[in-house]
Amino acid sequence: MSLSPYGELRSELDGLTTEAHRPDLAEIDQRSTLDIARTMNREDAGVPGAVAAQLPKISAAIDAAALRLARGGRLLYLGAGTAGRLGVLDASECPPTFNTDPSQVVGLIAGGPGAMVTAVEGAEDSKALAAEDLRRHGVTADDVVVGISASGRTPYAVGAVEYARGCGALTIGLSCNADSPLAAAAEHGIEVVVGPELISGSTRLKAGTAQKLVLNMISTISMIRLGKTYGNLMVDVRASNEKLRARSRRIVHLATGAPDPVIESALRATDGEVKNAILTILGKVDAPTAGRLLSESHGHLRAALTAAAKG
């Protein structure tokens, strides 16, 4: 008897931890809402431990990525479905948080922007589509490409990594299954194995949480390495609304301890640039000098302060 057209794929999915069925939860729909919530909470509690097991690999990937970004490269996330949406989310939060150019951290989802809200049938099954997306963005050896896939087998994510590696780009494969094709294709494979989902195969749950945690690390720590923070302060924050303008003043105060009139004067002189304002106050330099010192130190405030102290 021949297998159905989907027999091979079904067999492949049967071997994935993220697709495994939990018989102990087969009657979860008959439980109370509080009991289901407690069960979900217990399941979610194991995710940070699974991420912790991958910290050495995550750290190595981030160090390598920061080097590419420091020489002008970009960070590009590619994934399908939930994985793609998480990449787009992380990328879209970098400009307001770290004042990055929108082209520096980019999220690409299989099927294009419309796939953020509506599934694009078949998009995730195409390696060629991933290659075309990266070709359109002109990926180079200076760039970092992160393929994201809970299963670790999604053709779009695997194809992205394969194409990017062929271009000499640094490649990272983030999945939630061990021994995944995605990790094997990437220079840095990160496999956060969180186990079967509460709802069988619904990888927007634990797998999605794990991916979000790792993407937080990749972008945040890379930006720390690029000098986008001063201690744990967002000194490169882009003050694009009232809340962020208030936060900018709070950050300058936390960094310098200066009174409000001094802070206002410094921000006016530096066109609202938090990092520059801090340097004028702590380094006792004028705004043009602050701008020059920061440029010479490649945006690292601590290095600029050291230079200012040397006069």
Side-chain angles (χ1 to χ4, degrees), residues 184-304:
E187 186 176 345
H188 293 271
I190 300 169
E191 297 174 321
V192 185
V193 182
V194 295
E197 300 286 6
L198 182 93
I199 305 298
S200 298
S202 182
T203 51
R204 58 180 284 272
L205 300 176
K206 289 190 298 184
T209 300
Q211 291 166 13
K212 174 60 175 166
L213 292 176
V214 176
L215 295 178
N216 281 349
M217 289 183 180
I218 291 174
S219 59
T220 302
I221 301 175
S222 291
M223 293 302 157
I224 290 173
R225 290 284 163 261
L226 292 175
K228 293 289 187 177
T229 66
Y230 178 63
N232 64 344
L233 297 176
M234 295 189 294
V235 291
D236 259 336
V237 64
R238 177 175 296 169
S240 58
N241 58 42
E242 288 301 313
K243 182 188 76 173
L244 293 179
R245 279 186 277 275
R247 180 179 289 166
S248 295
R249 283 148 177 80
R250 183 169 183 270
I251 290 170
V252 177
H253 174 73
L254 288 171
T256 66
D260 286 350
V262 173
I263 292 171
E264 293 299 330
S265 177
L267 286 169
R268 279 196 303 273
T270 58
D271 293 324
E273 294 290 341
V274 171
K275 186 184 290 184
N276 299 51
I278 292 170
L279 183 54
T280 64
I281 297 170
L282 294 182
K284 297 180 172 59
V285 297
D286 59 20
T289 302
R292 176 178 59 79
L293 291 174
L294 282 167
S295 178
E296 292 172 353
S297 65
H298 306 289
H300 288 259
L301 179 54
R302 289 191 189 279

Side-chain angles (χ1 to χ4, degrees), residues 106-122:
V106 178
L108 301 175
I109 183 170
M116 284 293 293
V117 293
T118 304
V120 177
E121 298 301 329

Side-chain angles (χ1 to χ4, degrees), residues 153-168:
R153 58 155 298 279
T154 305
Y156 181 82
V158 176
V161 165
E162 291 175 344
Y163 177 82
R165 197 161 187 178
C167 295

Side-chain angles (χ1 to χ4, degrees), residues 65-106:
L67 290 175
R68 304 284 178 118
L69 295 174
R71 67 191 199 205
R74 299 166 297 169
L75 176 61
L76 298 102
Y77 297 128
L78 287 93
T82 296
R85 294 181 187 102
L86 289 169
V88 172
L89 172 63
D90 196 75
S92 66
E93 290 175 341
C94 286
T97 305
F98 301 112
N99 200 18
T100 58
D101 187 278
S103 66
Q104 187 176 14
V105 185
V106 178

